[in-house]
Amino acid sequence: MDIIVKIYQYFADGFNYMFTKWERVAPNFWQHLQIVGISLVIAIIIAAPLGLLISRARWRQLSTPVLGILGILYTIPSLAFLAFLVPVFGLTSITTIVVLVVYSQTMLVRNIALGFLSIDRSIIESARGMGMSGLQSLLKVELPLALPVIIAGVRIATLATISIATIGAWAGAETLGKLFQENNPRKSAAGIILVVLMALTADQGFRLLERLSSGYRKPLSQRTILKNQASLTGNEVPV
């Protein structure tokens, strides 16, 4: 019971500090939010054409090396990655943004490719038969159908970015991680609370977008999902 009371008191003090000393917490909160937003925009701009490219039949053979390289980069510990980039970009927010963009690629590229691969080919052929050009088919047919899977990838990448951005404080970024660097339990608790609230808000927001974008699309079967994933990795689908 003592542990439960201590935990309760710890976060109660954090809430109290957050509301009574908001002016001291706000700069780190807004900087954290800004870094996450910038990182995600840059990451999506890079991942969108890459994911679309490896979803096309003529470039499908590139999916294994591309996803393999991105997977290797994702396994690098965040603090080690930050330390490696500090001599290049210095103790600035840019270092954190670069790391966040790289970490987001695995989730974004894979889901963007899977989103387009999950579309029934007969639908695309029908669009072409109606006289649509490749670009028109992409924007008016393929993208709306792939959107739920793509949004799911953005949601996962956002949650990871919010978490990892906290560590950016050790590389000079003025994120919520700065609250953990001071020997003040109330500040640390406030930082944890804000990171969790930010992640929960983002998660629920993207889940709502997923539901809205998939309202007219039938859910994929488990075998179809496995088949799409296998087409990216070059593995056989178990019967």
Side-chain angles (χ1 to χ4, degrees), residues 102-117:
V102 172
Y103 278 153
S104 300
Q105 292 306 302
T106 300
M107 294 160 279
L108 291 174
V109 172
R110 182 183 296 276
N111 274 63
I112 289 171
L114 288 175
F116 287 108
L117 284 170

